[in-house]
Amino acid sequence: MNQSGGRNSNMHLSDTDEAADFPLCGLSYQWFTQSAFGAALMNLDCGFIYVNPAFSSLLGYEEIQLKQLSIPVVTHHDELLRCVHLSSQLAAGLIPTFQIEQRFIQNSGVSVWCSVNATLLRDEQGEPRYILMQTQNIDDKKKLEAALHTSVNTFSTLLESIPFAVVMLKADWHISYVNKAAEAIFKHKIEDIVGRNLWMLFPEAVSSPFYKEFHRSMEERIYTYLHQCYGPEKRWYEVSCQPTKEGICLFIRETTLLKKQENAYLETKLQLDAIIKHAPDAISILDLQYRILTVNPAYTDIFGFSEDELLGKPPLIIPEELTLETNALFQQAARGIPVVGYETKRLHKGKHMLDVSLTIFPLKSAENLVMALFISIRDISESKRTERLLRQTEESYRIIAANTYDLVVLLSTDGLVKYVSPSHQQVMNVDPAILLEAESPFSYFEEPWKSQVSDFFDELIRRKEPGTTELHWPAQASEQVKTFEVNGVPVIGLDGCVESVVMVSRDISERKHTEELLRRSCKLSVAGQLAAGIAHEIRNPLTALKGFTQFMYEGGPHKYQYLKIMMSELTRIEQIINELLILAKPQAVTYRKRQTEPLLRDVISFLRSQANLNEVQMIMHIQSNLPAVHCEENQLKQVFINLLKNGIEAMPHGGIVQIYAQKTFNGMLSIVFQDQGFGIPAEELSRLGEPFFTTKEKGSGLGLMISYKILGEHGGSLRFNSEPGRGTIATIILPAAND
């Protein structure tokens, strides 16, 4: 080697001037090239100038390859920031050296842990010039550390996950370790337990059996076990003491709940024994050879045998013809498959047969092996006799249903037809077999009757109470419409749930026709009662017409004013007659499901001009998602018009009519009309709706009477609230249509 720092071909020096200026003496060269540890000489930018074979081997690169790289290139990305930071401080002369553990990336892409010692080399003027880095492979050490860390964590996790308390005690009774579960046992935090003397922490335990057992384990270096009640709360603890190198280890588990369960088990066993003894059913226990081990008093009472006649023998109550059947049931239960509610017969000592319900349960050991058979026998002879009577009664009812003209249908709760009376053939010309095979009997109805009968069926199940409705068959205009009165009765089971629904329908078309005749007769009667009022209401305008006509005939002046008055009186007569015709004339009504908001908007639009002339503003407040109603929309519009006109006419000097539509708390539809008029006195409020009673100067009172009639036919109602000087509120309540 050139002692003056010249080049040496064995050093693989860089061709840069920086490398050529670096003096390398013989000893340093020998150390650099032959060191078992990796070594590298770098410039201040961490670029490699010299690398020794150990460093090249460590990273898996050729030396010439490394001289084209720098430290950041071969440093693991998790270590890069720290390495660059320390190298920058070193290169700036802020620190003379640093030592870290970091990962390098080998040429194969695998990371390797190394211990790194980097030192700053200065020139003759004391300026930073080079960085000398020494490395040692510590990958195995790091793996051992990781394995040790994992092992410690696993052991620690295991101790912390144990559901009972683990306590490590030194020979001087100081606590060196407790797990998390010990906090619940000791009622102290871990930091308040570790390092404390056990007997100072629990001085009251010195006089307990635990003190003696702990000392015996500590002194004799033996395993001890104690299950004992402790403390004023009388809680039970199970404690194991295991000697250790430093002292003893305690495993403590609270068993208060187990003790309570044990006591409850003993109490339950006593109660169960009492229940079996006093049970009304015959109970016996058989071994696997089908010999009776025990019987209760009900067994001897029901079958007439004494206990001595039964114990240790096969059951004497099995009829000979049922021996094979019974043995098969015993074998099934012996395989662990219970037999529940099997109806069969058993023999009384007096040789007569009893109808019984047989239940056999396998009694199993803790290893799930069948050890014996528990047999419960219920005498159902009486219920069987009742069942036969019910069957006879049902047959009688079936005969009645088969020979009646009423339509009888039995439906399950999911709408399946279980029975259809033959009368459907005669009354409706529908084969009962077709209805029995149909997925739903409602499919034979057209809307809206299909929805009505379906809703009626659902309502019967929901309310669990009988109900009545009217249906029409068929809905086609080409056929004669029949009206049926349908009575529905839900059949309630013992559990309080609806088991089925019986619907009995009767053709009431003739009765409805008779009712219509009676209604017309009633209208004639009403017309007779109204005759005097009509005569009075029409006589006044007729008198005016007659007088003005005669006056004009005689050539009186001011004919224009007379004609205007005469037209007004004629209009009043026409209004009275039209309203009376609406009341008396039979209406062809078709009810359909309609939303009320469009109907209200149509009416408001219709009355907008009249409202503007009277300087009245109409404001709607419509709740979202209002339910629809089954209605005749023109009739409902007529009601709205009547109420809105009343509100407009009640405010001759203008004002506001508020319209509110919303769903009530019980699912009905509420429509409110509120005006700012003069109001109605209490004595007149009760008379609203009477024929020809009105609070308006030119009113007839028939409008409200018609409104009451229309709303009544729709199943609704109308009520008024008013105070003089504070306006009037008219409230309509209508039933919502079911979806």
Side-chain angles (χ1 to χ4, degrees):
M1 174 182 294
N2 189 333
Q3 297 297 321
S4 62
R7 294 178 180 265
N8 188 301
S9 59
N10 293 328
M11 288 295 295
H12 301 286
L13 298 179
S14 170
D15 292 332
T16 65
D17 292 338
E18 185 177 31
D21 293 339
F22 182 75
L24 199 63
C25 67
L27 289 177
S28 60
Y29 169 72
Q30 184 176 355
W31 169 86
F32 192 88
T33 56
Q34 297 181 10
S35 174
F37 303 108
L41 183 68
M42 301 178 293
N43 58 28
L44 297 181
D45 293 330
C46 296
F48 293 115
I49 301 174
Y50 300 148
V51 294
N52 71 347
F55 188 79
S56 299
S57 176
L58 175 66
L59 297 185
Y61 287 93
E62 295 292 336
E63 293 180 21
I64 193 170
Q65 291 178 299
L66 283 172
K67 291 175 183 178
Q68 299 173 4
L69 303 177
S70 63
I71 279 293
V73 175
V74 296
T75 299
H76 192 278
H77 59 84
D78 290 345
E79 323 291 337
L80 185 58
L81 185 61
R82 182 180 59 161
C83 180
V84 170
H85 173 69
L86 291 173
S87 298
S88 299
Q89 285 189 309
L90 191 66
L94 300 177
I95 57 176
T97 182
F98 68 81
Q99 185 174 355
I100 58 172
E101 291 181 353
Q102 75 167 56
R103 282 171 290 179
F104 287 109
I105 303 299
Q106 294 178 328
N107 192 18
S108 60
V110 177
S111 64
V112 58
W113 276 98
C114 294
S115 172
V116 177
N117 192 330
T119 303
L120 177 66
L121 301 180
R122 298 176 180 271
D123 59 15
E124 293 176 354
Q125 287 76 34
E127 294 296 325
R129 186 66 183 275
Y130 303 102
I131 297 174
L132 178 64
M133 183 178 69
Q134 303 173 63
T135 61
Q136 182 180 359
N137 188 338
I138 59 169
D139 209 43
D140 291 341
K141 173 191 169 186
K142 293 298 272 186
K143 289 178 180 177
L144 285 174
E145 287 178 356
L148 178 60
H149 181 72
T150 302
S151 177
V152 170
N153 283 344
T154 302
F155 182 68
S156 177
T157 302
L158 177 62
L159 287 178
E160 292 300 324
S161 64
I162 291 175
F164 49 83
V166 178
V167 183
M168 303 291 291
L169 291 170
K170 295 181 179 179
D172 59 359
W173 300 105
H174 280 76
I175 300 170
S176 60
Y177 169 81
V178 292
N179 66 345
K180 187 68 176 175
E183 288 185 340
I185 298 291
F186 287 174
K187 305 294 188 298
H188 291 285
K189 295 290 184 181
I190 292 178
E191 54 269 22
D192 298 330
I193 300 173
V194 175
R196 299 282 300 278
N197 184 285
L198 178 66
W199 308 119
M200 293 182 67
L201 190 62
F202 300 101
E204 68 277 5
V206 173
S207 59
S208 71
F210 294 105
Y211 183 86
K212 179 181 177 181
E213 287 302 310
F214 290 1
H215 275 79
R216 191 162 73 92
S217 178
M218 181 79 79
E219 294 166 3
E220 300 179 17
R221 313 304 295 165
I222 61 172
Y223 169 84
T224 61
Y225 170 83
L226 185 64
H227 193 196
Q228 187 68 38
C229 184
Y230 174 77
E233 297 179 356
K234 300 298 182 184
R235 305 192 74 81
W236 283 83
Y237 296 95
E238 183 181 62
V239 182
S240 298
C241 304
Q242 182 67 49
T244 65
K245 185 177 180 181
E246 293 184 346
I248 59 173
C249 179
L250 305 180
F251 300 91
I252 308 172
R253 183 169 67 116
E254 184 177 348
T255 59
T256 306
L257 182 59
L258 289 176
K259 267 293 182 182
K260 289 180 180 179
Q261 290 175 343
E262 182 181 334
N263 293 336
Y265 166 75
L266 294 174
E267 195 173 319
T268 302
K269 184 179 183 303
L270 292 175
Q271 293 175 351
L272 183 61
D273 291 341
I275 290 172
I276 291 175
K277 182 178 180 181
H278 298 95
D281 294 341
I283 294 175
S284 62
I285 297 178
L286 276 61
D287 62 20
L288 296 184
Q289 284 72 46
Y290 312 139
R291 293 173 299 198
I292 296 178
L293 300 177
T294 184
V295 294
N296 70 338
Y299 193 102
T300 58
D301 293 342
I302 291 174
F303 296 108
F305 292 95
S306 67
E307 192 171 327
D308 292 337
E309 293 176 295
L310 296 170
L311 295 180
K313 302 173 185 177
L316 303 177
I317 62 174
I318 302 173
E320 184 177 350
E321 63 273 17
L322 297 177
T323 301
L324 292 177
E325 173 193 274
T326 304
N327 285 339
L329 296 176
F330 286 167
Q331 291 169 9
Q332 174 182 323
R335 294 194 302 271
I337 305 172
V339 177
V340 181
Y342 186 84
E343 293 188 3
T344 184
K345 293 183 179 294
R346 286 296 179 259
L347 185 65
H348 190 271
K349 186 177 181 180
K351 302 301 180 183
H352 60 272
M353 291 290 188
L354 299 176
D355 290 303
V356 299
S357 174
L358 178 67
T359 297
I360 309 175
F361 279 106
L363 299 179
K364 299 181 179 181
S365 66
E367 292 77 22
N368 204 34
L369 299 175
V370 178
M371 305 296 293
L373 303 179
F374 177 91
I375 300 177
S376 175
I377 302 174
R378 176 168 296 179
D379 184 2
I380 59 172
S381 302
E382 188 63 32
S383 63
K384 279 293 183 181
R385 281 192 293 271
T386 304
E387 184 181 328
R388 286 191 286 270
L389 290 174
L390 286 174
R391 195 177 295 114
Q392 293 172 2
T393 304
E394 181 184 349
E395 187 62 30
S396 300
Y397 285 136
R398 190 177 293 273
I399 292 172
I400 294 172
N403 293 278
T404 183
Y405 279 95
D406 288 347
L407 309 177
V408 182
V409 179
L410 178 64
L411 301 168
S412 64
T413 54
D414 53 3
L416 297 178
V417 182
K418 300 170 71 174
Y419 173 78
V420 179
S421 64
S423 53
H424 284 75
Q425 185 70 57
Q426 292 81 13
V427 177
M428 303 175 68
N429 196 27
V430 174
D431 188 354
I434 295 177
L435 289 177
L436 283 170
E437 295 173 358
E439 291 185 3
S440 169
F442 310 143
S443 59
Y444 286 87
F445 293 91
E446 298 291 339
E447 294 291 356
W449 311 116
K450 181 176 181 179
S451 298
Q452 185 180 351
V453 69
S454 177
D455 294 344
F456 177 61
F457 174 76
D458 294 338
E459 186 71 10
L460 290 173
I461 295 176
R462 186 182 67 82
R463 296 184 60 187
K464 300 183 181 180
E465 294 179 358
T468 302
T469 189
E470 289 186 4
L471 300 176
H472 296 264
W473 175 282
Q476 290 86 350
S478 60
E479 301 182 33
Q480 183 179 359
V481 175
K482 293 183 179 181
T483 302
F484 289 90
E485 180 184 70
V486 183
N487 292 291
V489 179
V491 180
I492 310 298
L494 295 176
D495 58 356
C497 297
V498 177
E499 294 182 346
S500 55
V501 175
V502 178
M503 287 190 180
V504 180
S505 306
R506 176 169 294 177
D507 187 354
I508 58 170
S509 302
E510 289 298 324
R511 191 178 82 188
K512 296 296 284 186
H513 180 65
T514 303
E515 288 177 357
E516 181 62 28
L517 292 178
L518 288 174
R519 224 175 355 255
R520 292 180 183 179
S521 175
C522 182
K523 287 182 180 179
L524 290 175
S525 175
V526 171
Q529 294 173 11
L530 297 178
I534 295 171
H536 175 75
E537 289 292 322
I538 296 180
R539 180 186 297 162
N540 291 337
L542 283 177
T543 301
L545 288 170
K546 183 178 179 181
F548 283 119
T549 302
Q550 185 176 359
F551 193 67
M552 291 173 63
Y553 180 75
E554 293 174 356
H558 310 295
K559 293 183 180 181
Y560 176 76
Q561 290 85 347
Y562 302 154
L563 287 172
K564 185 176 180 181
I565 295 173
M566 291 170 69
M567 286 299 297
S568 173
E569 296 300 328
L570 285 171
T571 301
R572 176 167 170 75
I573 293 172
E574 182 183 25
Q575 179 183 4
I576 292 172
I577 293 174
N578 286 339
E579 290 180 341
L580 189 63
L581 285 175
I582 290 175
L583 177 67
K585 182 181 177 181
Q587 301 292 315
V589 178
T590 301
Y591 287 83
R592 292 183 174 87
K593 186 185 290 187
R594 290 288 184 267
Q595 294 291 335
T596 52
E597 182 177 354
L599 303 184
L600 285 169
R601 294 194 183 279
D602 289 347
V603 169
I604 289 174
S605 177
F606 175 71
L607 294 175
R608 185 79 66 188
S609 298
Q610 182 178 349
N612 292 337
L613 290 173
N614 289 269
E615 297 183 353
V616 172
Q617 184 180 2
M618 295 179 289
I619 301 176
M620 284 205 308
H621 308 274
I622 306 296
Q623 189 181 57
S624 60
N625 300 321
L626 280 179
V629 294
H630 276 299
C631 68
E632 206 295 316
E633 58 180 295
N634 289 326
Q635 289 189 352
L636 214 54
K637 284 182 180 180
Q638 183 179 348
V639 174
F640 298 159
I641 289 171
N642 289 341
L643 295 177
L644 278 172
K645 283 182 63 180
N646 288 346
I648 293 170
E649 293 169 0
M651 297 183 292
H653 304 298
I656 298 175
V657 177
Q658 305 275 2
I659 302 105
Y660 301 90
Q662 60 188 6
K663 187 176 182 180
T664 66
F665 70 93
N666 58 353
M668 304 284 278
L669 181 66
S670 169
I671 304 171
V672 178
F673 300 87
Q674 181 177 3
D675 63 51
Q676 298 174 334
F678 297 115
I680 304 171
E683 61 273 12
E684 296 180 0
L685 197 64
S686 61
R687 296 191 61 193
L688 293 180
E690 292 183 8
F692 301 110
F693 174 79
T694 179
T695 60
K696 296 185 292 186
E697 182 180 350
K698 296 184 179 181
S700 66
L702 295 178
L704 278 183
M705 183 178 179
I706 292 170
S707 298
Y708 275 110
K709 177 176 182 291
I710 291 173
L711 290 174
E713 291 175 347
H714 282 73
S717 63
L718 173 62
R719 68 173 184 270
F720 289 89
N721 294 292
S722 182
E723 292 183 25
R726 302 188 65 177
T728 302
I729 299 175
T731 303
I732 296 173
I733 300 295
L734 288 169
N738 294 325
D739 293 332

